Amino acid sequence: MAELAASNDMLKRFDTPIFVTRPYLPPLEEFKEGLEEIWTNQWLTNNGPMLQRFQRELSQYLGVPETNLALFNNGTLALELGFYAMGLSGGDVITTPFTFVATSHALKRIGANPVFADIDPETMCLSPEAAEKLITPRTKAIVPVHVYGNVCDVEGFERLGEKYGVKIIYDAAHAFGVFSRVEHVDCVERKSIGCCGDMSMFSFHPTKLFHSCEGGLLVFKNVAVQERLFELRNFAIHSETECVDVGTNAKMNELQALMGLECLKKINDLLDYRQKVYRAYEESFAGCQNIILVPHSRNWAYVPVLFEDFETRERVYNELKVKCNVFTRRYFYPLLTDFAPYVYAKGTCPVAEDLAARVLTLPTYYGLPLADVNAIAESVKEIVS
Ligand code: T4K
């Protein structure tokens, strides 16, 4: 008892709560200038000028032609309409249980059947080998997730796409700011990770490193998909007198687009700061055998750590909350296959089950003082010791 009390004294309690993340907010004065423009335009949604500017600037930042992009009011509806436009309804789709529920909900909601395959223990992303074993004539697509900003085995999935004629659609909700270098004979291009596969979705929710209040972006290979997506996000209205399908309202509005534009100005600083936070945790945890910092993120979007077992993870989660005023998240526990709509697949993905039981994502965001990062890391070490 005395020992416990002594060790608890070593935990730093923050006066104000520290959350797993906080959104970046642009300087209010600069935001107001954009608001004035919106007031002058008297145009609030339905493909307005801010949205078009945001799409143009995203195209430049990502290195993707504007013809291959479409913006939505959130990432979940972007996924849903992307899956629908790619013709996945009625088919089986192989995906990961180690993700946010939006990935499989979007499949279910368009009438596709999620089939869960296990993940790679290193990257924590869907394993192409595990996915391949589940491919049948009913399989229409594979939906891997670049979880935490860790990049999937994109070559492995490309091979599966070619070999079996199935679509590869990435949930890249966490992977904004991740680039790969495409090397040609005479030039080296910077290409967004969103260029992999047939389609990718980025989420611009405020818990992401880059946001537009709420928002989602689809990047796709086939330019013909754009018109279809533009229609689907606007009730599938084709013209004043024609409605061609059962669309929905998934339009990004002008205030969202303005927030996105203002945050995009700062994207390099946002990425740099997250890297600093990650490095501070890395330094603090160096040499700790029982705290493993997951090393693969290319944009430092999350700081996932693995503990030895479920009990330790739960203790760290609870003590940080109760004693330190630090609110971490157990992304992604429980696994999707523990949730009612997907329980039919419970127990089929042992690697994902093991990691979900041991993972904890620690606070990271632009402006989180590095001294606080060190104090959180010291508390974590103290709790596991
Ligand atoms: N695919 C994947 C792989 C995803 O991770 C997600 C979303 C999606 C698809 C769907 O994309 P969206 O439709 O969301 O664009 C959060 C987010 O709501 C969700 O967007 C995200 N993934 C998921 C991983 O995390 P919660 O329930 O943890 O969020 P919440 O509201 O508890 O926020 C966490 C902390 O962030 C709060 O404790 C405080 C802070 N916070 C949050 C908000 C919203 C703020 O400081 N300010 C804020 O405005 O789900």
Side-chain angles (χ1 to χ4, degrees):
M1 248 347 246
E3 221 178 85
L4 185 67
S7 88
N8 284 345
D9 288 339
M10 308 281 289
L11 302 181
K12 176 177 164 62
R13 183 173 178 84
F14 292 91
D15 295 335
T16 49
I18 305 252
F19 296 112
V20 68
T21 192
R22 304 299 335 245
Y24 165 72
L25 287 171
L28 198 50
E29 282 311 310
E30 288 177 28
F31 195 76
K32 275 186 194 157
E33 284 171 27
L35 285 179
E36 276 162 19
E37 205 177 316
I38 293 175
W39 258 239
T40 306
N41 295 336
Q42 250 189 311
W43 198 276
L44 297 180
T45 186
N46 290 16
N47 208 22
M50 278 295 172
L51 178 107
Q52 286 173 32
R53 194 187 303 165
F54 188 29
Q55 187 176 296
R56 234 174 6 254
E57 295 207 4
L58 283 168
S59 150
Q60 279 166 14
Y61 174 71
L62 296 170
V64 176
E66 265 194 82
T67 47
N68 300 67
L69 302 176
L71 279 160
F72 299 85
N73 56 354
N74 62 58
T76 306
L77 279 173
L79 271 184
E80 208 176 298
L81 294 183
F83 292 154
Y84 184 67
M86 296 301 274
L88 307 195
S89 303
D92 283 359
V93 177
I94 299 170
T95 188
T96 167
F98 193 78
T99 178
F100 191 59
V101 281
T103 315
S104 53
H105 279 3
L107 288 168
K108 273 273 193 199
R109 289 176 62 81
I110 59 124
N113 175 40
V115 174
F116 295 97
D118 215 341
I119 59 174
D120 177 285
E122 289 293 313
T123 63
M124 301 165 97
C125 298
L126 184 65
S127 144
E129 291 75 28
E132 183 167 16
K133 289 190 187 132
L134 298 177
I135 294 176
T136 72
R138 289 188 308 279
T139 308
K140 287 196 174 181
I142 302 177
V143 175
V145 179
H146 298 303
V147 72
Y148 307 134
N150 296 354
V151 174
C152 299
D153 177 355
V154 289
E155 284 88 17
F157 287 115
E158 199 177 316
R159 270 196 301 277
L160 293 185
E162 279 166 13
K163 186 168 167 191
Y164 296 98
V166 294
K167 299 265 188 299
I168 307 295
I169 303 177
Y170 290 97
D171 181 336
H174 305 172
F176 195 75
V178 176
F179 289 86
S180 60
R181 287 155 65 87
V182 181
E183 310 216 4
H184 299 292
V185 179
D186 52 358
C187 71
V188 176
E189 272 181 51
R190 201 175 85 117
K191 277 260 181 229
S192 164
I193 201 68
C195 298
C196 298
D198 295 282
M199 185 179 267
S200 296
M201 185 283 289
F202 295 112
S203 162
F204 298 160
H205 186 267
T207 54
K208 303 293 181 289
L209 67 87
F210 168 80
H211 75 95
S212 59
C213 293
E214 289 254 14
L217 177 74
L218 287 178
V219 177
F220 36 84
K221 202 182 255 175
N222 179 356
V223 289
V225 176
Q226 192 184 50
E227 197 188 335
R228 175 101 172 106
L229 288 169
F230 282 179
E231 277 179 0
L232 286 170
R233 76 180 177 190
N234 188 31
F235 315 99
I237 292 170
H238 186 67
S239 69
E240 262 187 67
T241 53
E242 281 172 293
C243 174
V244 292
D245 201 343
V246 185
T248 189
N249 181 353
K251 288 164 280 145
M252 174 175 276
N253 69 47
E254 292 290 278
L255 291 156
Q256 289 176 289
L258 170 61
M259 181 61 91
L261 281 164
E262 290 301 317
C263 291
L264 197 55
K265 287 184 189 164
K266 194 79 179 174
I267 183 68
N268 291 334
D269 292 342
L270 301 180
L271 288 163
D272 285 352
Y273 198 87
R274 293 227 180 201
Q275 185 176 13
K276 284 200 181 88
V277 170
Y278 184 89
R279 298 284 168 232
Y281 280 119
E282 192 174 49
E283 218 169 279
S284 281
F285 293 140
C288 296
Q289 303 297 320
N290 47 3
I291 305 170
I292 297 166
L293 188 56
V294 179
H296 303 284
S297 178
R298 296 239 213 116
N299 59 359
W300 311 281
Y302 293 84
V303 179
V305 288
L306 289 168
F307 297 100
E308 279 182 332
D309 50 37
F310 174 76
E311 289 70 27
T312 312
R313 193 278 307 276
E314 290 295 284
R315 194 167 72 247
V316 177
Y317 170 77
N318 284 313
E319 295 202 7
L320 283 177
K321 180 160 65 172
V322 175
K323 297 179 179 164
C324 303
N325 212 12
V326 172
F327 296 83
T328 60
R329 278 297 161 100
R330 291 164 290 187
Y331 298 134
F332 289 100
Y333 166 86
L335 277 190
L336 299 197
T337 46
D338 290 322
F339 292 137
Y342 312 106
V343 79
Y344 58 84
K346 191 173 170 65
T348 57
C349 301
V351 177
E353 264 169 52
D354 171 52
L355 296 176
R358 296 193 288 122
V359 74
L360 190 67
T361 50
L362 299 178
T364 180
Y365 50 89
Y366 181 77
L368 175 62
L370 297 183
D372 291 358
V373 172
N374 290 330
I376 295 166
E378 288 307 313
S379 295
V380 171
K381 288 196 274 189
E382 189 58 35
I383 295 165
V384 300
S385 69

